[in-house]
Amino acid sequence: MNMRMADMTLDGNAIGGLLREIFTMEVTNAEATCAGCGAVNAVGRVEVYVHAPGTVVRCPACQQVLMRIVRGEGRYWLDLTGTRTLELVET
Amino acid sequence: MGFISRGFRGKRRDTADSGRLPPGQYLVNDYPVLSAGPTPRPNLDTWTFSIEGEIDTPKKWTWQEFLALPAETVTKDIHCVTKWSKFDTTWKGVSFDTLFEGVETAAEYTTQFSDGDYTTNLPLEDLVDGKAWIVYEYNGEPLHPEHGGPARMLVPHLYFWKSAKWIRGVRLDKEQQPGFWETNGYNNYGDPWREQRYWGD
Ligand SMILES: [Zn+2]
């Protein structure tokens, strides 16, 4: 897991645990297509911000938001507006 | 008796039941940095602050014009929805009462918009009557970029995600338009004293 101190950015592996709470399939090796610029990146390699009211996942190519995940009081909210496609692979 | 009650009050000042700490919050002495994206570093030569939307003549100030507006120094407690609170934070900036002088609008809601595409929504009445400021100094120093500099919102009576960092303007809305967090689980109003953290709170 890498962290760039300047902007407190983590890579997508930082939210592997959080994603396993939501999805039954492994998501860190899924390929996410950015709805903004079309870049395709494995979720484990996208940019993640966790020091916030929720978790914000951004495209490493254009910095647009790919996912927002909020967890609170037994509920999860997942916004995938910025992810055009998520390709998951059976293991 | 006097000794006991003095000790009791002294302890309470730093604990949850002092009446100053909203429910579910804990007190911090440092200033945690929260960030949902890369830290914007706008050029002050091209920076502007705007009031737009439901307004006949939109208003806009350059950085130099903004610094020339009447400023206030205020000391406030702030409450983050991630549960930390910080007492007695001191800021310098311009009140919304000053910014809204002469503005006539049919709007009842507002959206704050920032560099980095952050937005948050607030009722118009929560910005006026000495409740909200655009601040550019913290503790007598220019506001650091990681805390929202060059300028951020300060709306201390609501959870701090409503106090948008890197603020560039306010849009006056007839209808409520949920912002960055409000569209994904967070409360449209965010009163820390009623613990309005999430949808339905
Ligand atoms: Zn992109």
Side-chain angles (χ1 to χ4, degrees), chain A residues 7-8 49 51 53-54 56 58 63 68 70-73 75 77-79, chain B residues 33-39 81-82 180-181 183-186 198-199 201:
Chain A
D7 288 325
M8 302 195 303
Y49 296 83
H51 300 280
V56 179
R58 289 179 182 269
Q63 268 73 53
R68 288 175 296 167
V70 171
R71 178 173 54 176
E73 291 165 3
R75 290 178 287 175
W77 292 271
L78 177 61
D79 181 322
Chain B
V33 174
L34 268 67
S35 186
T39 301
V81 74
T82 62
F180 185 89
W181 291 117
T183 49
N184 197 48
Y186 277 99
Y198 304 107
W199 287 3
D201 286 350

PDB file of all heavy atoms in Angstrom, chain A residues 7-8 49 51 53-54 56 58 63 68 70-73 75 77-79, chain B residues 33-39 81-82 180-181 183-186 198-199 201:
ATOM      1  N   ASP A   7      -0.965  14.666  -0.246  1.00  0.00           N
ATOM      2  CA  ASP A   7      -2.416  14.700  -0.361  1.00  0.00           C
ATOM      3  C   ASP A   7      -3.090  13.561   0.400  1.00  0.00           C
ATOM      4  O   ASP A   7      -4.270  13.353   0.266  1.00  0.00           O
ATOM      5  CB  ASP A   7      -2.835  14.648  -1.830  1.00  0.00           C
ATOM      6  CG  ASP A   7      -2.522  15.958  -2.539  1.00  0.00           C
ATOM      7  OD1 ASP A   7      -2.631  17.003  -1.892  1.00  0.00           O
ATOM      8  OD2 ASP A   7      -2.188  15.908  -3.727  1.00  0.00           O
ATOM      9  N   MET A   8      -2.342  12.827   1.188  1.00  0.00           N
ATOM     10  CA  MET A   8      -2.893  11.727   1.974  1.00  0.00           C
ATOM     11  C   MET A   8      -3.612  10.713   1.100  1.00  0.00           C
ATOM     12  O   MET A   8      -4.668  10.196   1.436  1.00  0.00           O
ATOM     13  CB  MET A   8      -3.832  12.263   3.063  1.00  0.00           C
ATOM     14  CG  MET A   8      -3.135  13.224   3.998  1.00  0.00           C
ATOM     15  SD  MET A   8      -4.063  13.517   5.501  1.00  0.00           S
ATOM     16  CE  MET A   8      -5.599  14.111   4.862  1.00  0.00           C
ATOM     17  N   TYR A  49      -8.980   8.182  -0.903  1.00  0.00           N
ATOM     18  CA  TYR A  49      -8.911   9.142   0.206  1.00  0.00           C
ATOM     19  C   TYR A  49      -9.820   8.647   1.321  1.00  0.00           C
ATOM     20  O   TYR A  49     -11.028   8.528   1.125  1.00  0.00           O
ATOM     21  CB  TYR A  49      -9.351  10.544  -0.252  1.00  0.00           C
ATOM     22  CG  TYR A  49      -8.423  11.120  -1.289  1.00  0.00           C
ATOM     23  CD1 TYR A  49      -8.560  10.792  -2.630  1.00  0.00           C
ATOM     24  CD2 TYR A  49      -7.382  11.950  -0.909  1.00  0.00           C
ATOM     25  CE1 TYR A  49      -7.684  11.288  -3.581  1.00  0.00           C
ATOM     26  CE2 TYR A  49      -6.504  12.460  -1.852  1.00  0.00           C
ATOM     27  CZ  TYR A  49      -6.658  12.120  -3.192  1.00  0.00           C
ATOM     28  OH  TYR A  49      -5.789  12.616  -4.122  1.00  0.00           O
ATOM     29  N   HIS A  51      -9.363   9.865   4.737  1.00  0.00           N
ATOM     30  CA  HIS A  51      -9.470  10.844   5.823  1.00  0.00           C
ATOM     31  C   HIS A  51     -10.527  11.874   5.458  1.00  0.00           C
ATOM     32  O   HIS A  51     -10.240  13.005   5.107  1.00  0.00           O
ATOM     33  CB  HIS A  51      -8.112  11.522   6.069  1.00  0.00           C
ATOM     34  CG  HIS A  51      -7.052  10.541   6.447  1.00  0.00           C
ATOM     35  ND1 HIS A  51      -6.927  10.050   7.718  1.00  0.00           N
ATOM     36  CD2 HIS A  51      -6.097   9.934   5.714  1.00  0.00           C
ATOM     37  CE1 HIS A  51      -5.924   9.186   7.760  1.00  0.00           C
ATOM     38  NE2 HIS A  51      -5.401   9.101   6.557  1.00  0.00           N
ATOM     39  N   PRO A  53     -15.297  12.326   5.548  1.00  0.00           N
ATOM     40  CA  PRO A  53     -16.532  11.763   6.087  1.00  0.00           C
ATOM     41  C   PRO A  53     -16.897  10.405   5.473  1.00  0.00           C
ATOM     42  O   PRO A  53     -17.622   9.639   6.075  1.00  0.00           O
ATOM     43  CB  PRO A  53     -17.574  12.837   5.735  1.00  0.00           C
ATOM     44  CG  PRO A  53     -16.793  14.107   5.742  1.00  0.00           C
ATOM     45  CD  PRO A  53     -15.458  13.727   5.135  1.00  0.00           C
ATOM     46  N   GLY A  54     -16.389  10.130   4.294  1.00  0.00           N
ATOM     47  CA  GLY A  54     -16.570   8.822   3.665  1.00  0.00           C
ATOM     48  C   GLY A  54     -15.292   8.489   2.917  1.00  0.00           C
ATOM     49  O   GLY A  54     -14.302   9.205   3.010  1.00  0.00           O
ATOM     50  N   VAL A  56     -13.402   8.183  -0.628  1.00  0.00           N
ATOM     51  CA  VAL A  56     -13.506   8.707  -1.986  1.00  0.00           C
ATOM     52  C   VAL A  56     -12.448   8.025  -2.841  1.00  0.00           C
ATOM     53  O   VAL A  56     -11.266   8.017  -2.499  1.00  0.00           O
ATOM     54  CB  VAL A  56     -13.309  10.233  -2.013  1.00  0.00           C
ATOM     55  CG1 VAL A  56     -13.396  10.756  -3.440  1.00  0.00           C
ATOM     56  CG2 VAL A  56     -14.354  10.916  -1.138  1.00  0.00           C
ATOM     57  N   ARG A  58     -10.718   7.872  -6.587  1.00  0.00           N
ATOM     58  CA  ARG A  58     -10.551   8.738  -7.751  1.00  0.00           C
ATOM     59  C   ARG A  58      -9.751   8.054  -8.848  1.00  0.00           C
ATOM     60  O   ARG A  58      -8.898   7.216  -8.588  1.00  0.00           O
ATOM     61  CB  ARG A  58      -9.852  10.048  -7.352  1.00  0.00           C
ATOM     62  CG  ARG A  58     -10.729  10.959  -6.518  1.00  0.00           C
ATOM     63  CD  ARG A  58     -10.017  12.244  -6.123  1.00  0.00           C
ATOM     64  NE  ARG A  58     -10.869  13.078  -5.279  1.00  0.00           N
ATOM     65  CZ  ARG A  58     -11.704  14.023  -5.734  1.00  0.00           C
ATOM     66  NH1 ARG A  58     -11.785  14.269  -7.027  1.00  0.00           N
ATOM     67  NH2 ARG A  58     -12.461  14.708  -4.900  1.00  0.00           N
ATOM     68  N   GLN A  63      -8.394  12.177 -12.028  1.00  0.00           N
ATOM     69  CA  GLN A  63      -8.776  12.580 -10.658  1.00  0.00           C
ATOM     70  C   GLN A  63     -10.278  12.701 -10.431  1.00  0.00           C
ATOM     71  O   GLN A  63     -10.726  13.105  -9.361  1.00  0.00           O
ATOM     72  CB  GLN A  63      -8.098  13.906 -10.229  1.00  0.00           C
ATOM     73  CG  GLN A  63      -6.768  13.694  -9.504  1.00  0.00           C
ATOM     74  CD  GLN A  63      -5.671  13.270 -10.435  1.00  0.00           C
ATOM     75  OE1 GLN A  63      -5.433  13.927 -11.437  1.00  0.00           O
ATOM     76  NE2 GLN A  63      -5.024  12.161 -10.131  1.00  0.00           N
ATOM     77  N   ARG A  68     -17.902   6.755  -4.248  1.00  0.00           N
ATOM     78  CA  ARG A  68     -17.968   7.299  -2.891  1.00  0.00           C
ATOM     79  C   ARG A  68     -18.664   6.268  -2.024  1.00  0.00           C
ATOM     80  O   ARG A  68     -19.725   5.759  -2.397  1.00  0.00           O
ATOM     81  CB  ARG A  68     -18.754   8.615  -2.873  1.00  0.00           C
ATOM     82  CG  ARG A  68     -17.989   9.756  -3.510  1.00  0.00           C
ATOM     83  CD  ARG A  68     -18.827  10.993  -3.596  1.00  0.00           C
ATOM     84  NE  ARG A  68     -19.958  10.746  -4.481  1.00  0.00           N
ATOM     85  CZ  ARG A  68     -21.012  11.547  -4.571  1.00  0.00           C
ATOM     86  NH1 ARG A  68     -21.101  12.608  -3.814  1.00  0.00           N
ATOM     87  NH2 ARG A  68     -21.976  11.261  -5.408  1.00  0.00           N
ATOM     88  N   VAL A  70     -19.947   5.532   1.874  1.00  0.00           N
ATOM     89  CA  VAL A  70     -20.208   6.047   3.217  1.00  0.00           C
ATOM     90  C   VAL A  70     -20.796   4.916   4.043  1.00  0.00           C
ATOM     91  O   VAL A  70     -21.687   4.199   3.590  1.00  0.00           O
ATOM     92  CB  VAL A  70     -21.180   7.254   3.182  1.00  0.00           C
ATOM     93  CG1 VAL A  70     -21.629   7.639   4.586  1.00  0.00           C
ATOM     94  CG2 VAL A  70     -20.522   8.440   2.482  1.00  0.00           C
ATOM     95  N   ARG A  71     -20.270   4.748   5.243  1.00  0.00           N
ATOM     96  CA  ARG A  71     -20.767   3.724   6.154  1.00  0.00           C
ATOM     97  C   ARG A  71     -21.171   4.415   7.441  1.00  0.00           C
ATOM     98  O   ARG A  71     -20.404   5.204   7.985  1.00  0.00           O
ATOM     99  CB  ARG A  71     -19.655   2.718   6.432  1.00  0.00           C
ATOM    100  CG  ARG A  71     -20.046   1.637   7.410  1.00  0.00           C
ATOM    101  CD  ARG A  71     -18.975   0.586   7.517  1.00  0.00           C
ATOM    102  NE  ARG A  71     -17.679   1.187   7.840  1.00  0.00           N
ATOM    103  CZ  ARG A  71     -16.586   0.467   8.073  1.00  0.00           C
ATOM    104  NH1 ARG A  71     -16.623  -0.836   7.997  1.00  0.00           N
ATOM    105  NH2 ARG A  71     -15.452   1.062   8.361  1.00  0.00           N
ATOM    106  N   GLY A  72     -22.393   4.165   7.903  1.00  0.00           N
ATOM    107  CA  GLY A  72     -22.803   4.781   9.160  1.00  0.00           C
ATOM    108  C   GLY A  72     -24.032   4.134   9.735  1.00  0.00           C
ATOM    109  O   GLY A  72     -24.994   3.875   9.009  1.00  0.00           O
ATOM    110  N   GLU A  73     -23.989   3.866  11.020  1.00  0.00           N
ATOM    111  CA  GLU A  73     -25.163   3.349  11.745  1.00  0.00           C
ATOM    112  C   GLU A  73     -25.787   2.154  11.043  1.00  0.00           C
ATOM    113  O   GLU A  73     -26.998   2.109  10.811  1.00  0.00           O
ATOM    114  CB  GLU A  73     -26.193   4.469  11.936  1.00  0.00           C
ATOM    115  CG  GLU A  73     -25.713   5.534  12.900  1.00  0.00           C
ATOM    116  CD  GLU A  73     -26.524   6.811  12.829  1.00  0.00           C
ATOM    117  OE1 GLU A  73     -27.510   6.861  12.061  1.00  0.00           O
ATOM    118  OE2 GLU A  73     -26.164   7.765  13.537  1.00  0.00           O
ATOM    119  N   ARG A  75     -25.611   1.172   7.995  1.00  0.00           N
ATOM    120  CA  ARG A  75     -25.979   1.324   6.591  1.00  0.00           C
ATOM    121  C   ARG A  75     -24.727   1.642   5.763  1.00  0.00           C
ATOM    122  O   ARG A  75     -23.767   2.205   6.274  1.00  0.00           O
ATOM    123  CB  ARG A  75     -26.999   2.449   6.419  1.00  0.00           C
ATOM    124  CG  ARG A  75     -28.368   2.128   6.983  1.00  0.00           C
ATOM    125  CD  ARG A  75     -29.326   3.295   6.826  1.00  0.00           C
ATOM    126  NE  ARG A  75     -28.997   4.373   7.759  1.00  0.00           N
ATOM    127  CZ  ARG A  75     -29.609   5.557   7.775  1.00  0.00           C
ATOM    128  NH1 ARG A  75     -30.549   5.827   6.886  1.00  0.00           N
ATOM    129  NH2 ARG A  75     -29.266   6.470   8.659  1.00  0.00           N
ATOM    130  N   TRP A  77     -23.721   3.469   1.922  1.00  0.00           N
ATOM    131  CA  TRP A  77     -24.157   4.144   0.705  1.00  0.00           C
ATOM    132  C   TRP A  77     -23.002   4.068  -0.290  1.00  0.00           C
ATOM    133  O   TRP A  77     -21.854   4.383   0.050  1.00  0.00           O
ATOM    134  CB  TRP A  77     -24.494   5.611   0.979  1.00  0.00           C
ATOM    135  CG  TRP A  77     -25.708   5.797   1.821  1.00  0.00           C
ATOM    136  CD1 TRP A  77     -26.996   5.903   1.393  1.00  0.00           C
ATOM    137  CD2 TRP A  77     -25.766   5.931   3.260  1.00  0.00           C
ATOM    138  NE1 TRP A  77     -27.843   6.101   2.459  1.00  0.00           N
ATOM    139  CE2 TRP A  77     -27.126   6.115   3.602  1.00  0.00           C
ATOM    140  CE3 TRP A  77     -24.804   5.908   4.283  1.00  0.00           C
ATOM    141  CZ2 TRP A  77     -27.545   6.286   4.929  1.00  0.00           C
ATOM    142  CZ3 TRP A  77     -25.218   6.070   5.595  1.00  0.00           C
ATOM    143  CH2 TRP A  77     -26.573   6.258   5.919  1.00  0.00           C
ATOM    144  N   LEU A  78     -23.321   3.645  -1.507  1.00  0.00           N
ATOM    145  CA  LEU A  78     -22.295   3.435  -2.521  1.00  0.00           C
ATOM    146  C   LEU A  78     -22.701   4.176  -3.788  1.00  0.00           C
ATOM    147  O   LEU A  78     -23.736   3.879  -4.378  1.00  0.00           O
ATOM    148  CB  LEU A  78     -22.186   1.924  -2.792  1.00  0.00           C
ATOM    149  CG  LEU A  78     -21.243   1.453  -3.866  1.00  0.00           C
ATOM    150  CD1 LEU A  78     -19.809   1.857  -3.548  1.00  0.00           C
ATOM    151  CD2 LEU A  78     -21.336  -0.062  -3.991  1.00  0.00           C
ATOM    152  N   ASP A  79     -21.911   5.167  -4.174  1.00  0.00           N
ATOM    153  CA  ASP A  79     -22.169   5.933  -5.394  1.00  0.00           C
ATOM    154  C   ASP A  79     -21.135   5.534  -6.432  1.00  0.00           C
ATOM    155  O   ASP A  79     -19.936   5.740  -6.247  1.00  0.00           O
ATOM    156  CB  ASP A  79     -22.077   7.430  -5.088  1.00  0.00           C
ATOM    157  CG  ASP A  79     -22.353   8.288  -6.312  1.00  0.00           C
ATOM    158  OD1 ASP A  79     -21.930   7.908  -7.422  1.00  0.00           O
ATOM    159  OD2 ASP A  79     -22.972   9.349  -6.172  1.00  0.00           O
TER     160      ASP A  79
ATOM    161  N   VAL B  33      -6.663  16.858   9.629  1.00  0.00           N
ATOM    162  CA  VAL B  33      -6.882  17.267   8.235  1.00  0.00           C
ATOM    163  C   VAL B  33      -7.744  16.223   7.552  1.00  0.00           C
ATOM    164  O   VAL B  33      -7.393  15.045   7.530  1.00  0.00           O
ATOM    165  CB  VAL B  33      -5.544  17.411   7.483  1.00  0.00           C
ATOM    166  CG1 VAL B  33      -5.799  17.693   6.005  1.00  0.00           C
ATOM    167  CG2 VAL B  33      -4.702  18.509   8.099  1.00  0.00           C
ATOM    168  N   LEU B  34      -8.878  16.652   7.005  1.00  0.00           N
ATOM    169  CA  LEU B  34      -9.717  15.765   6.216  1.00  0.00           C
ATOM    170  C   LEU B  34      -9.636  16.172   4.760  1.00  0.00           C
ATOM    171  O   LEU B  34      -9.613  17.365   4.447  1.00  0.00           O
ATOM    172  CB  LEU B  34     -11.168  15.820   6.693  1.00  0.00           C
ATOM    173  CG  LEU B  34     -11.506  14.769   7.755  1.00  0.00           C
ATOM    174  CD1 LEU B  34     -10.782  15.044   9.043  1.00  0.00           C
ATOM    175  CD2 LEU B  34     -12.982  14.664   7.972  1.00  0.00           C
ATOM    176  N   SER B  35      -9.593  15.176   3.882  1.00  0.00           N
ATOM    177  CA  SER B  35      -9.440  15.493   2.476  1.00  0.00           C
ATOM    178  C   SER B  35     -10.089  14.428   1.619  1.00  0.00           C
ATOM    179  O   SER B  35      -9.830  13.247   1.802  1.00  0.00           O
ATOM    180  CB  SER B  35      -7.954  15.603   2.141  1.00  0.00           C
ATOM    181  OG  SER B  35      -7.814  16.032   0.819  1.00  0.00           O
ATOM    182  N   ALA B  36     -10.932  14.856   0.687  1.00  0.00           N
ATOM    183  CA  ALA B  36     -11.610  13.929  -0.213  1.00  0.00           C
ATOM    184  C   ALA B  36     -10.987  13.939  -1.597  1.00  0.00           C
ATOM    185  O   ALA B  36     -11.537  13.363  -2.531  1.00  0.00           O
ATOM    186  CB  ALA B  36     -13.093  14.285  -0.304  1.00  0.00           C
ATOM    187  N   GLY B  37      -9.827  14.603  -1.739  1.00  0.00           N
ATOM    188  CA  GLY B  37      -9.192  14.674  -3.053  1.00  0.00           C
ATOM    189  C   GLY B  37      -7.886  15.436  -2.967  1.00  0.00           C
ATOM    190  O   GLY B  37      -7.478  15.860  -1.889  1.00  0.00           O
ATOM    191  N   PRO B  38      -7.243  15.616  -4.119  1.00  0.00           N
ATOM    192  CA  PRO B  38      -5.992  16.370  -4.142  1.00  0.00           C
ATOM    193  C   PRO B  38      -6.223  17.802  -3.639  1.00  0.00           C
ATOM    194  O   PRO B  38      -7.303  18.361  -3.840  1.00  0.00           O
ATOM    195  CB  PRO B  38      -5.591  16.379  -5.623  1.00  0.00           C
ATOM    196  CG  PRO B  38      -6.431  15.346  -6.285  1.00  0.00           C
ATOM    197  CD  PRO B  38      -7.658  15.167  -5.458  1.00  0.00           C
ATOM    198  N   THR B  39      -5.225  18.384  -2.994  1.00  0.00           N
ATOM    199  CA  THR B  39      -5.348  19.743  -2.463  1.00  0.00           C
ATOM    200  C   THR B  39      -5.194  20.753  -3.592  1.00  0.00           C
ATOM    201  O   THR B  39      -4.133  20.831  -4.213  1.00  0.00           O
ATOM    202  CB  THR B  39      -4.266  19.989  -1.401  1.00  0.00           C
ATOM    203  OG1 THR B  39      -4.442  19.026  -0.361  1.00  0.00           O
ATOM    204  CG2 THR B  39      -4.373  21.386  -0.810  1.00  0.00           C
ATOM    205  N   VAL B  81     -18.145  15.738  11.524  1.00  0.00           N
ATOM    206  CA  VAL B  81     -19.046  14.583  11.564  1.00  0.00           C
ATOM    207  C   VAL B  81     -18.283  13.286  11.853  1.00  0.00           C
ATOM    208  O   VAL B  81     -18.869  12.300  12.275  1.00  0.00           O
ATOM    209  CB  VAL B  81     -19.865  14.487  10.257  1.00  0.00           C
ATOM    210  CG1 VAL B  81     -18.988  13.989   9.099  1.00  0.00           C
ATOM    211  CG2 VAL B  81     -21.098  13.615  10.424  1.00  0.00           C
ATOM    212  N   THR B  82     -16.955  13.286  11.642  1.00  0.00           N
ATOM    213  CA  THR B  82     -16.153  12.112  12.008  1.00  0.00           C
ATOM    214  C   THR B  82     -15.902  12.060  13.519  1.00  0.00           C
ATOM    215  O   THR B  82     -15.091  11.267  13.981  1.00  0.00           O
ATOM    216  CB  THR B  82     -14.811  12.089  11.247  1.00  0.00           C
ATOM    217  OG1 THR B  82     -14.055  13.252  11.615  1.00  0.00           O
ATOM    218  CG2 THR B  82     -15.018  12.087   9.751  1.00  0.00           C
ATOM    219  N   PHE B 180     -21.960  17.101  -2.414  1.00  0.00           N
ATOM    220  CA  PHE B 180     -21.036  15.973  -2.592  1.00  0.00           C
ATOM    221  C   PHE B 180     -21.333  14.831  -1.624  1.00  0.00           C
ATOM    222  O   PHE B 180     -21.434  13.676  -2.036  1.00  0.00           O
ATOM    223  CB  PHE B 180     -19.599  16.468  -2.391  1.00  0.00           C
ATOM    224  CG  PHE B 180     -18.541  15.446  -2.669  1.00  0.00           C
ATOM    225  CD1 PHE B 180     -18.018  15.288  -3.945  1.00  0.00           C
ATOM    226  CD2 PHE B 180     -18.047  14.633  -1.652  1.00  0.00           C
ATOM    227  CE1 PHE B 180     -17.021  14.354  -4.202  1.00  0.00           C
ATOM    228  CE2 PHE B 180     -17.051  13.690  -1.897  1.00  0.00           C
ATOM    229  CZ  PHE B 180     -16.544  13.552  -3.176  1.00  0.00           C
ATOM    230  N   TRP B 181     -21.464  15.120  -0.347  1.00  0.00           N
ATOM    231  CA  TRP B 181     -21.754  14.066   0.635  1.00  0.00           C
ATOM    232  C   TRP B 181     -23.240  13.862   0.822  1.00  0.00           C
ATOM    233  O   TRP B 181     -23.700  12.756   1.130  1.00  0.00           O
ATOM    234  CB  TRP B 181     -21.096  14.394   1.984  1.00  0.00           C
ATOM    235  CG  TRP B 181     -19.612  14.296   1.950  1.00  0.00           C
ATOM    236  CD1 TRP B 181     -18.696  15.296   2.156  1.00  0.00           C
ATOM    237  CD2 TRP B 181     -18.834  13.108   1.689  1.00  0.00           C
ATOM    238  NE1 TRP B 181     -17.419  14.818   2.030  1.00  0.00           N
ATOM    239  CE2 TRP B 181     -17.470  13.493   1.753  1.00  0.00           C
ATOM    240  CE3 TRP B 181     -19.148  11.776   1.412  1.00  0.00           C
ATOM    241  CZ2 TRP B 181     -16.431  12.575   1.549  1.00  0.00           C
ATOM    242  CZ3 TRP B 181     -18.109  10.874   1.209  1.00  0.00           C
ATOM    243  CH2 TRP B 181     -16.781  11.276   1.273  1.00  0.00           C
ATOM    244  N   THR B 183     -25.553  13.737  -1.336  1.00  0.00           N
ATOM    245  CA  THR B 183     -26.145  12.815  -2.320  1.00  0.00           C
ATOM    246  C   THR B 183     -25.824  11.365  -1.988  1.00  0.00           C
ATOM    247  O   THR B 183     -26.325  10.450  -2.637  1.00  0.00           O
ATOM    248  CB  THR B 183     -25.612  13.095  -3.743  1.00  0.00           C
ATOM    249  OG1 THR B 183     -24.185  13.176  -3.691  1.00  0.00           O
ATOM    250  CG2 THR B 183     -26.189  14.381  -4.315  1.00  0.00           C
ATOM    251  N   ASN B 184     -24.950  11.120  -1.024  1.00  0.00           N
ATOM    252  CA  ASN B 184     -24.530   9.735  -0.761  1.00  0.00           C
ATOM    253  C   ASN B 184     -24.522   9.421   0.735  1.00  0.00           C
ATOM    254  O   ASN B 184     -23.517   8.964   1.265  1.00  0.00           O
ATOM    255  CB  ASN B 184     -23.152   9.478  -1.379  1.00  0.00           C
ATOM    256  CG  ASN B 184     -22.843   7.988  -1.508  1.00  0.00           C
ATOM    257  OD1 ASN B 184     -23.667   7.221  -1.997  1.00  0.00           O
ATOM    258  ND2 ASN B 184     -21.680   7.574  -1.042  1.00  0.00           N
ATOM    259  N   GLY B 185     -25.637   9.677   1.388  1.00  0.00           N
ATOM    260  CA  GLY B 185     -25.804   9.194   2.762  1.00  0.00           C
ATOM    261  C   GLY B 185     -25.797  10.251   3.840  1.00  0.00           C
ATOM    262  O   GLY B 185     -26.380  10.048   4.904  1.00  0.00           O
ATOM    263  N   TYR B 186     -25.140  11.397   3.586  1.00  0.00           N
ATOM    264  CA  TYR B 186     -25.055  12.408   4.642  1.00  0.00           C
ATOM    265  C   TYR B 186     -26.273  13.326   4.649  1.00  0.00           C
ATOM    266  O   TYR B 186     -26.928  13.547   3.635  1.00  0.00           O
ATOM    267  CB  TYR B 186     -23.744  13.195   4.546  1.00  0.00           C
ATOM    268  CG  TYR B 186     -22.625  12.442   5.216  1.00  0.00           C
ATOM    269  CD1 TYR B 186     -21.728  11.681   4.479  1.00  0.00           C
ATOM    270  CD2 TYR B 186     -22.510  12.442   6.600  1.00  0.00           C
ATOM    271  CE1 TYR B 186     -20.723  10.947   5.109  1.00  0.00           C
ATOM    272  CE2 TYR B 186     -21.515  11.713   7.233  1.00  0.00           C
ATOM    273  CZ  TYR B 186     -20.630  10.971   6.483  1.00  0.00           C
ATOM    274  OH  TYR B 186     -19.651  10.243   7.112  1.00  0.00           O
ATOM    275  N   TYR B 198     -26.565  11.309   9.149  1.00  0.00           N
ATOM    276  CA  TYR B 198     -26.899  10.573   7.933  1.00  0.00           C
ATOM    277  C   TYR B 198     -28.336  10.835   7.495  1.00  0.00           C
ATOM    278  O   TYR B 198     -29.117  11.485   8.174  1.00  0.00           O
ATOM    279  CB  TYR B 198     -26.694   9.072   8.176  1.00  0.00           C
ATOM    280  CG  TYR B 198     -25.303   8.745   8.641  1.00  0.00           C
ATOM    281  CD1 TYR B 198     -25.049   8.386   9.957  1.00  0.00           C
ATOM    282  CD2 TYR B 198     -24.218   8.867   7.758  1.00  0.00           C
ATOM    283  CE1 TYR B 198     -23.757   8.110  10.386  1.00  0.00           C
ATOM    284  CE2 TYR B 198     -22.931   8.594   8.178  1.00  0.00           C
ATOM    285  CZ  TYR B 198     -22.706   8.215   9.492  1.00  0.00           C
ATOM    286  OH  TYR B 198     -21.423   7.956   9.906  1.00  0.00           O
ATOM    287  N   TRP B 199     -28.680  10.283   6.309  1.00  0.00           N
ATOM    288  CA  TRP B 199     -30.045  10.367   5.813  1.00  0.00           C
ATOM    289  C   TRP B 199     -30.999   9.847   6.896  1.00  0.00           C
ATOM    290  O   TRP B 199     -30.750   8.818   7.512  1.00  0.00           O
ATOM    291  CB  TRP B 199     -30.218   9.491   4.566  1.00  0.00           C
ATOM    292  CG  TRP B 199     -29.569  10.018   3.327  1.00  0.00           C
ATOM    293  CD1 TRP B 199     -28.812  11.152   3.205  1.00  0.00           C
ATOM    294  CD2 TRP B 199     -29.592   9.422   2.033  1.00  0.00           C
ATOM    295  NE1 TRP B 199     -28.376  11.285   1.914  1.00  0.00           N
ATOM    296  CE2 TRP B 199     -28.827  10.239   1.173  1.00  0.00           C
ATOM    297  CE3 TRP B 199     -30.182   8.262   1.512  1.00  0.00           C
ATOM    298  CZ2 TRP B 199     -28.659   9.947  -0.183  1.00  0.00           C
ATOM    299  CZ3 TRP B 199     -29.988   7.960   0.166  1.00  0.00           C
ATOM    300  CH2 TRP B 199     -29.256   8.799  -0.665  1.00  0.00           C
ATOM    301  N   ASP B 201     -31.640  11.008   9.809  1.00  0.00           N
ATOM    302  CA  ASP B 201     -31.350  11.398  11.198  1.00  0.00           C
ATOM    303  C   ASP B 201     -32.153  12.643  11.597  1.00  0.00           C
ATOM    304  O   ASP B 201     -32.363  13.519  10.788  1.00  0.00           O
ATOM    305  CB  ASP B 201     -29.849  11.691  11.386  1.00  0.00           C
ATOM    306  CG  ASP B 201     -29.020  10.426  11.397  1.00  0.00           C
ATOM    307  OD1 ASP B 201     -29.606   9.339  11.443  1.00  0.00           O
ATOM    308  OD2 ASP B 201     -27.780  10.548  11.350  1.00  0.00           O
TER     309      ASP B 201
END
